[in-house]
Amino acid sequence: MRRAITLAKKGLGWVNPNPLVGAVLVREGRVIGEGTHEFFGGPHAEVNAINAASGNVAGSTLYVTMEPCSHLGKTPPCTDLIIQKGIRKVIVGMKDPNPLVNGFGLKALKEAGIEVTVGVEEDSLRKLNEIFIKYIQTGKPFCTLKTAMTLDGKIATVENASRWISCGDSRKFVHELRQKYSSIMVGVNTIIYDDPLLSNRRPGKKNRDPIKVVVDTKGRIPVNAKVITENPQLALIATTGQMDLAKKKELERLGVQVVVCPVKNGKVDLSFLMIALGRMGIDSVLLEGGSTLAFSAIIDGIVDSVISFIAPKIIGGATAPTPVGGSGLPLMDEAIRVINWKYRKLGEDILIEGYLSSP
């Protein structure tokens, strides 16, 4: 199963909004076939493992990270092929939370006389597929807030200089994150001050660029911003009725998608936006800034997890921005706790990961 998990990770960034799945076929104590769900709409891991098998698979044992599907989707049901090939036993890491599959695949296999075991390395697999699990159960994207700050809690200097706070190893890790998530979200001030590409740049690897979501209440984004001039078809501006109509038409002419959202507390209604993104098939959001947007996202309850890089640097400045700005919470008792957290060293930096408790 651990080998199957390793295989599943090969699909990171390519299978969204489907789950990451790996499969291993074993016969007489020897691995005879391996498979990965490689890309959205492509053959499932079980099918690839069977097709790659050396010799007859009848009587073999299939290890698969998630319950095989039993319904006709973009591909035929995996259970039909497993039964047809005479596989004797199926070891399943976790049940599929998709209501179209949940339990039905296991039932089909058992009714065909196949021995089925469920729940091997399940905790690891639920972590691996946390994006898929939330998306398939709620229709909303899984959202991670990513921050990088100095030891004294600053994300930029008093002159808004922010390159580079984190070290090279941390920046490489961020691009691995960008491969994993379907979209990157930033506020318009980040675009105005930094003009980032928001692309995925992993040296020596095949990359998939995420959708670039810019939250821009009043339509202040410059039309010559890099997120627009570079691959405008991947740019999505989340705005409100406060955007000038001529500006909206110009952005759409350039190939940018504009989503008009309701106003909440004078800003884009982020809860509405997340529902809209989910309906577009966007299963995950990497929220990269700025501080005002981060606070609104936390208070609106759209953030599921946090990833924070802390660099051993001090820049000071009473007005220098911090990772989370906004109006703030008045009482310490109201602080939103980070739970199930862990930390590790990454180059010169400390990386802290955790999940938010309910606001």
Side-chain angles (χ1 to χ4, degrees):
M1 189 59 70
R2 288 172 183 160
R3 174 59 185 165
I5 292 173
T6 299
L7 293 168
K9 293 176 181 178
K10 293 183 178 182
L12 275 168
W14 302 111
V15 302
N16 307 58
N18 280 352
L20 295 161
V21 183
V24 177
L25 268 173
V26 176
R27 182 182 174 90
E28 296 177 353
R30 183 175 64 89
V31 173
I32 62 170
E34 296 183 339
T36 301
H37 181 31
E38 297 175 353
F39 58 91
F40 177 72
H44 289 186
E46 304 94 313
V47 175
N48 285 332
I50 291 170
N51 290 340
S54 56
N56 189 3
V57 302
S60 63
T61 297
L62 172 68
Y63 293 81
V64 60
T65 56
M66 188 170 288
E67 174 182 2
C69 66
S70 58
H71 69 291
L72 179 63
K74 290 186 176 294
T75 60
C78 291
T79 51
D80 288 0
L81 183 63
I82 292 169
I83 295 167
Q84 173 192 333
K85 292 295 184 178
I87 292 172
R88 177 181 62 84
K89 187 175 182 179
V90 178
I91 312 294
V92 177
M94 62 173 286
K95 289 177 68 175
D96 191 332
N98 185 346
L100 293 175
V101 181
N102 190 265
F104 294 113
L106 303 176
K107 181 181 178 183
L109 295 175
K110 290 175 182 177
E111 289 179 346
I114 296 173
E115 183 181 346
V116 177
T117 300
V118 185
V120 178
E121 296 288 336
E122 184 168 355
D123 289 344
S124 297
L125 286 165
R126 294 189 72 83
K127 169 65 176 174
L128 178 67
N129 274 307
E130 61 187 3
I131 286 174
F132 172 74
I133 292 170
K134 180 183 178 181
Y135 181 68
I136 203 67
Q137 290 180 339
T138 69
K140 300 176 185 178
F142 184 94
C143 180
T144 295
L145 171 63
K146 188 275 293 182
T147 65
M149 64 181 180
T150 59
L151 193 61
D152 56 337
K154 309 297 184 180
I155 62 172
T157 69
V158 292
E159 299 292 334
N160 280 311
S162 60
R163 296 182 181 179
W164 296 101
I165 285 177
S166 54
C167 68
D169 288 342
S170 294
R171 296 198 296 275
K172 289 179 182 178
F173 182 81
V174 168
H175 286 282
E176 294 294 338
L177 285 176
R178 289 182 177 184
Q179 176 68 23
K180 175 181 175 181
Y181 288 78
S182 296
S183 68
I184 301 175
M185 182 185 292
V186 298
V188 69
N189 284 336
T190 297
I191 301 298
I192 293 171
Y193 291 131
D194 296 340
D195 196 20
L197 278 168
L198 299 183
S199 59
N200 182 8
R201 302 182 297 278
R202 300 182 303 164
K205 295 183 179 181
K206 185 179 179 181
N207 297 307
R208 176 200 53 79
D209 281 335
I211 302 294
K212 302 169 286 188
V213 180
V214 180
V215 179
D216 183 7
T217 303
K218 297 182 180 179
R220 296 187 295 126
I221 188 169
V223 294
N224 63 346
K226 290 177 183 176
V227 292
I228 294 174
T229 59
E230 301 284 336
N231 294 326
Q233 71 277 6
L234 292 178
L236 186 155
I237 310 301
T239 188
T240 68
Q242 297 178 44
M243 174 184 275
D244 181 75
L245 185 58
K247 181 70 168 287
K248 179 176 181 291
K249 289 181 178 179
E250 174 66 5
L251 290 169
E252 291 174 336
R253 184 189 69 79
L254 293 170
V256 176
Q257 184 168 0
V258 179
V259 177
V260 179
C261 305
V263 176
K264 181 179 180 182
N265 298 324
K267 305 180 186 303
V268 168
D269 185 336
L270 297 177
S271 297
F272 176 94
L273 175 59
M274 297 299 276
I275 293 172
L277 295 178
R279 289 176 177 171
M280 295 176 193
I282 296 173
D283 67 352
S284 49
V285 173
L286 183 62
L287 178 56
E288 292 205 8
S291 63
T292 302
L293 176 61
F295 180 74
S296 296
I298 291 171
I299 294 303
D300 285 357
I302 72 166
V303 177
D304 297 290
S305 69
V306 292
I307 293 176
S308 182
F309 300 91
I310 304 175
K313 301 174 182 178
I314 296 174
I315 55 177
T319 60
T322 60
V324 181
S327 59
L329 298 170
L331 301 174
M332 187 57 70
D333 287 346
E334 296 176 354
I336 297 164
R337 298 189 64 83
V338 178
I339 59 176
N340 299 329
W341 57 272
K342 59 183 180 180
Y343 71 93
R344 61 188 169 102
K345 196 169 184 292
L346 193 59
E348 297 178 348
D349 302 337
I350 297 296
L351 171 62
I352 298 178
E353 302 176 77
Y355 297 86
L356 289 193
S357 58
S358 298

